[in-house]
Amino acid sequence: MRPEKTDLRREAGQRTRDDLLEAALELLAQRGQEGVTLREITQNAGANVAAVSYHFGSLKALCDVAIEHALERYLDAQIRELDALAGNATLSELAEAFARPMLSALAAGGRDLAVIRTVARVGIDPPEGWERLAGKFEQARRQAVRVLAANLPEADERELAFRVRCAAGMLNWLTLAPIGAELAAETAERVEQMLIPVVAGAFQGTR
């Protein structure tokens, strides 16, 4: 087979794989893993069932890869934001960095919003095997705790880690609950004005 034909076939195969992942991701965001069917994914992707078997092996494997990609994309973005914080960052600055991937997705809509909703579903009801990304979750948590500790020296690390988990849970709920659709209809600036003080308050806590 001529090299150019091989390249075209490879590109076509990659497009099909990407289309299947995108279709799976959008359906996962809407319904969770239990509500996704192979037929719907292939119809939305314009592919056939054999393509799923060829590229992923099974429906479950396809969903697992889509979920893993969604989580990695979200965590990498959050880690970058937290990494950029100065040592003397305020709780408001921490809240903004921590929530920015969600804020950006709400503003962008489409695939970005599908990614964030998938992340939220996994955060609330983790599928089997999700712990393979536990290291990245822990990295983001440690970075947030670092800033919290500088702002709240009276609180111990365990309590600060708990507050970070509570803030993450709140963001997950906001993304999936009806209020998430309301937020998506607002401007990015308005969502930030509404949400950042709430997340900062979760970090602050009370004594």
Side-chain angles (χ1 to χ4, degrees), residues 128-184:
E128 183 180 351
W130 80 284
E131 64 274 4
R132 63 182 173 271
L133 291 176
K136 287 196 174 185
F137 278 103
E138 182 58 27
Q139 183 180 353
R141 191 176 300 128
R142 283 198 309 269
Q143 290 171 323
V145 167
R146 167 181 60 85
V147 178
L148 282 178
N151 282 271
L152 305 168
E154 72 281 3
D156 62 36
E157 185 173 335
R158 181 178 180 184
E159 181 177 347
L160 296 178
F162 176 75
R163 294 184 191 184
V164 173
R165 295 178 70 181
C166 287
M170 180 176 64
L171 291 176
N172 289 337
W173 179 83
L174 284 169
T175 304
L176 294 173
I179 194 173
E182 297 173 23
L183 290 173

Side-chain angles (χ1 to χ4, degrees), residues 39 54 76 87 203:
R39 181 177 180 180
Y54 176 78
D76 286 345
F203 287 144

Side-chain angles (χ1 to χ4, degrees), residues 1-11:
M1 184 178 294
R2 291 163 57 186
E4 56 268 28
K5 288 188 177 181
T6 301
D7 290 342
L8 288 173
R9 291 186 61 181
R10 185 179 297 112
E11 290 174 7

Side-chain angles (χ1 to χ4, degrees), residues 38-205:
L38 185 60
R39 181 177 180 180
E40 285 179 305
I41 290 175
T42 54
Q43 283 182 338
N44 289 2
N48 55 44
V49 174
V52 174
S53 298
Y54 176 78
H55 289 287
F56 301 98
S58 67
L59 172 61
K60 182 180 184 304
L62 167 57
C63 291
D64 286 347
V65 172
I67 289 170
E68 185 171 350
H69 282 193
L71 279 169
E72 284 193 301
R73 180 176 175 176
Y74 175 82
L75 289 171
D76 286 345
Q78 190 176 61
I79 288 168
R80 284 194 301 271
E81 295 290 344
L82 294 171
D83 264 342
L85 289 174
N88 61 347
T90 64
L91 292 183
S92 181
E93 289 169 336
L94 171 61
E96 185 177 353
F98 193 80
R100 187 170 288 125
M102 190 193 95
L103 296 175
S104 299
L106 286 170
R111 181 181 173 83
D112 287 346
L113 187 55
V115 169
I116 211 73
R117 284 178 174 162
T118 301
V119 168
R121 287 186 184 279
V122 172
I124 291 172
D125 185 20
E128 183 180 351
W130 80 284
E131 64 274 4
R132 63 182 173 271
L133 291 176
K136 287 196 174 185
F137 278 103
E138 182 58 27
Q139 183 180 353
R141 191 176 300 128
R142 283 198 309 269
Q143 290 171 323
V145 167
R146 167 181 60 85
V147 178
L148 282 178
N151 282 271
L152 305 168
E154 72 281 3
D156 62 36
E157 185 173 335
R158 181 178 180 184
E159 181 177 347
L160 296 178
F162 176 75
R163 294 184 191 184
V164 173
R165 295 178 70 181
C166 287
M170 180 176 64
L171 291 176
N172 289 337
W173 179 83
L174 284 169
T175 304
L176 294 173
I179 194 173
E182 297 173 23
L183 290 173
E186 300 282 353
T187 65
E189 292 77 12
R190 179 59 180 156
V191 174
E192 185 172 322
Q193 291 171 359
M194 295 166 64
L195 188 57
I196 297 306
V198 176
V199 178
F203 287 144
Q204 177 70 57

Side-chain angles (χ1 to χ4, degrees), residues 19-47:
D19 289 345
L20 287 167
L21 281 172
E22 184 167 355
L25 183 57
E26 289 174 357
L27 289 170
L28 285 165
Q30 295 168 17
R31 305 175 195 166
Q33 195 161 0
E34 298 304 317
V36 173
T37 68
L38 185 60
R39 181 177 180 180
E40 285 179 305
I41 290 175
T42 54
Q43 283 182 338
N44 289 2

